[in-house]
Amino acid sequence: MEKRRDFLRLLVGYSESFSLEHRLFNIFSLIAFFSSILLSMVHLIIKLPLILVLAPLFFGFLMAFCFYISRKKKAFQPAVLVCATAMLFMAPVLWIYNGGSTGGGQYFLIFIGILAAIVNTGRLRYYLLLAFILILSGLISLEYLYPEAITYFTSPGQRYVSVLLGFNLAALTIVLLFTVFADGYRLEQQRVKQYAQNMEEIAITDGLTGLYNHRFVRQRLEEEISKARRYKRKLSVIMLDIDHFKKLNDTQGHQYGDYVLKRIAEILQQNVRNTDTIGRYGGEEFIIVCSETGLAESYMLANRLRAEIERNQFKRQVQVTISGGVAELHEENIQQLVEKADRCLYSAKRLGRNRIGM
């Protein structure tokens, strides 16, 4: 199934390069080419007038030309105009010389209506639909007022073959056009969904480290505080800060500083639980929200992270360390809880860095 879809996309054009209307026209012109050749051969076999053999043949090659300039040259509007003009002349020929309302010509007008409706936009769509309605009304009036102007079939077999062929070609066209439309709609939906996911990720993640950003972490922390109070569970916060980060930037360069931030973010992600929320709180500061975790467990986790970063071999043999602060939720609100963890962090800084305060 997927291979058939890929082949169809290759045939009518990929959605990255062709609009949905463009792809629908491509498949329409391709079907019209093969249908016209088939129609011409059948008319020859059942011995209809010569004009009904030559007209579909000419129209078929014209549709092949439309497909070429539309698919290969990407000249969509010129191809549509050529096709529409050809149909304006083709419709009366098929109606008059193919049994009028008793033959298969009316199904050809279905092609015209579908094409006008799906591949055009704005006023052009309404102009073409109006033109085809006027043509159809004129042909029906002509047949009613001057039935002798219509070339009817000489045998029931000719009529049934013409109707059967016209009906099947119309049905095939509708099915294939719907297939392309449905495929295009599905791809558009996937792109919209992916775009929405990307935008959501951009909105909640830090662009450099890939961790959650300040706004999202505070939102998650508020939710965790509410949950902890409702269910009487523990909750702790860890604040981490890279030691001497400004000096590191000044001596090694800002690109190296970015590398250190990303590497520390990776170490944090690899060493915390899935239930913990890690974020970049700002600059060189990180925050970890530890749900259902008390002060002692959070302190052990923070110390393990500190030791892991100290052991890590950073590029250029530069020693990087962090300091941290741990605070457990009691009666504080979100701001007070973060400030308490921050005070513990700066206490660790004052005591010599590369340690965890609590």
Side-chain angles (χ1 to χ4, degrees):
M1 179 66 74
E2 196 61 36
K3 288 183 178 179
R4 287 200 295 270
R5 282 180 182 157
D6 289 340
F7 175 73
L8 189 60
R9 290 173 196 161
L10 177 65
L11 197 63
V12 303
Y14 291 99
S15 56
E16 292 79 7
S17 305
F18 295 84
S19 66
L20 179 58
E21 292 84 359
H22 199 158
R23 284 179 285 143
L24 288 171
F25 177 78
N26 288 344
I27 191 66
F28 179 89
S29 56
L30 195 62
I31 295 170
F33 165 69
F34 288 110
S35 300
S36 298
I37 301 302
L38 178 62
L39 194 64
S40 179
M41 293 172 61
V42 172
H43 287 175
L44 180 64
I45 293 171
I46 63 176
K47 299 179 180 179
L48 289 182
L50 183 61
I51 192 172
L52 290 180
V53 177
L54 297 179
L57 192 64
F58 173 75
F59 182 76
F61 285 111
L62 200 58
M63 289 300 97
F65 173 71
C66 289
F67 177 78
Y68 173 76
I69 63 174
S70 175
R71 175 66 179 87
K72 188 71 175 177
K73 301 297 184 181
K74 298 183 180 179
F76 175 51
Q77 287 300 333
V80 170
L81 290 175
V82 170
C83 180
T85 304
M87 285 182 169
L88 288 172
F89 289 99
M90 186 70 177
V93 171
L94 280 180
W95 188 276
I96 293 172
Y97 292 97
N98 196 36
S101 59
T102 64
Q106 64 267 37
Y107 299 109
F108 179 78
L109 294 177
I110 295 176
F111 290 174
I112 297 174
I114 292 172
L115 181 69
I118 64 178
V119 304
N120 293 288
T121 57
R123 291 183 178 180
L124 181 59
R125 171 184 292 172
Y126 300 113
Y127 289 155
L128 288 174
L129 285 174
L130 179 61
F132 292 130
I133 289 172
L134 290 175
I135 290 173
L136 180 59
S137 301
L139 290 172
I140 293 174
S141 301
L142 175 68
E143 183 176 352
Y144 176 75
L145 296 173
Y146 303 100
E148 66 277 5
I150 305 300
T151 301
Y152 293 99
F153 299 103
T154 57
S155 70
Q158 288 180 335
R159 175 178 178 273
Y160 290 129
V161 169
S162 177
V163 171
L164 180 65
L165 186 61
F167 178 81
N168 286 329
L169 290 177
L172 176 64
T173 302
I174 293 171
V175 168
L176 288 176
L177 287 174
F178 180 77
T179 300
V180 174
F181 179 83
D183 186 54
Y185 178 78
R186 183 177 60 83
L187 290 175
E188 289 297 327
Q189 286 293 97
Q190 289 176 349
R191 274 202 291 267
V192 169
K193 185 177 179 181
Q194 186 62 48
Y195 178 78
Q197 289 175 347
N198 292 341
M199 292 302 295
E200 184 179 358
E201 288 179 6
I202 291 171
I204 67 175
T205 57
D206 173 62
L208 178 64
T209 62
L211 300 177
Y212 291 123
N213 59 24
H214 179 103
R215 183 181 63 83
F216 181 79
V217 170
R218 286 187 68 91
Q219 179 182 328
R220 178 63 64 85
L221 182 54
E222 285 182 354
E223 294 170 358
E224 291 296 334
I225 289 174
S226 177
K227 192 187 302 181
R229 290 206 169 115
R230 186 183 307 119
Y231 299 108
K232 309 298 182 185
R233 294 172 180 171
K234 295 179 179 180
L235 177 68
S236 297
V237 169
I238 301 172
M239 299 294 294
L240 300 172
D241 188 87
I242 303 174
D243 296 328
H244 302 296
F245 187 71
K246 184 179 184 303
K247 181 180 178 182
L248 185 73
N249 265 333
D250 292 340
T251 56
Q252 301 294 329
H254 289 282
Q255 285 188 341
Y256 187 82
D258 290 346
Y259 154 73
V260 170
L261 286 169
K262 289 189 284 188
R263 182 69 189 113
I264 288 178
E266 291 172 2
I267 294 172
L268 297 180
Q269 287 176 311
Q270 292 165 2
N271 289 276
V272 300
R273 303 171 304 175
N274 292 333
T275 54
D276 296 332
T277 302
I278 318 170
R280 185 182 178 193
Y281 206 66
E284 67 272 23
E285 198 170 29
F286 300 89
I287 184 172
I288 304 174
V289 180
C290 305
S291 58
E292 301 185 23
T293 306
L295 187 64
E297 296 94 334
S298 295
Y299 177 79
M300 291 174 60
L301 171 60
N303 220 19
R304 190 169 73 247
L305 294 170
R306 179 201 61 77
E308 189 68 32
I309 291 169
E310 184 181 16
R311 284 194 300 268
N312 186 77
Q313 296 294 320
F314 288 87
K315 293 177 181 178
R316 305 180 189 173
Q317 303 300 313
V318 175
Q319 178 67 61
V320 179
T321 61
I322 62 167
S323 299
V326 181
E328 183 178 1
L329 176 69
H330 293 294
E331 300 299 325
E332 302 88 357
N333 60 31
I334 180 173
Q335 188 62 35
Q336 292 167 340
L337 180 61
V338 171
E339 288 176 353
K340 185 163 70 170
D342 247 341
R343 286 195 297 271
C344 294
L345 165 62
Y346 286 106
S347 174
K349 293 275 190 183
R350 286 193 299 271
L351 292 174
R353 294 183 171 83
N354 193 25
R355 63 188 67 215
I356 305 298
M358 60 181 290

